[in-house]
Amino acid sequence: MADKVEVKTEIKSTPAQAKYPVAEIVKASKKLFGYTGALVETALKETGKQEFTLAEAELIVKKFAVRPIKK
């Protein structure tokens, strides 16, 4: 039986936070989030947005990484 994984759903964003394009976040994905570029790219592109703050990207990637795989 799988353990429950709790993921924060709150984004603390201020107007001063910089937004980065998907390609830039993907290049630094292993260092930023500990996940492969392919996983991060898929997670971010699935939203349809082109730019994200690091907080937004982290939340999206973490949710994507723990969701069940469809068979």
Side-chain angles (χ1 to χ4, degrees):
M1 185 154 74
D3 293 332
K4 275 191 169 182
V5 177
E6 191 173 316
V7 179
K8 288 185 180 180
T9 57
E10 180 180 323
I11 298 176
K12 294 181 181 177
S13 183
T14 62
Q17 287 183 329
K19 289 196 173 195
Y20 301 93
V22 171
E24 223 175 294
I25 295 171
V26 168
K27 284 181 187 177
S29 63
K30 194 71 169 172
K31 186 177 179 182
L32 289 172
F33 313 117
Y35 294 108
T36 64
L39 182 142
V40 172
E41 183 174 19
T42 302
L44 297 179
K45 285 190 172 184
E46 199 174 78
T47 68
K49 289 175 53 178
Q50 300 298 315
E51 293 184 328
F52 302 86
T53 65
L54 293 179
E56 288 173 326
E58 182 178 21
L59 178 64
I60 292 164
V61 169
K62 283 183 177 181
K63 280 184 169 181
F64 183 85
V66 299
R67 76 180 191 186
I69 298 172
K70 295 178 184 175
K71 291 184 180 183

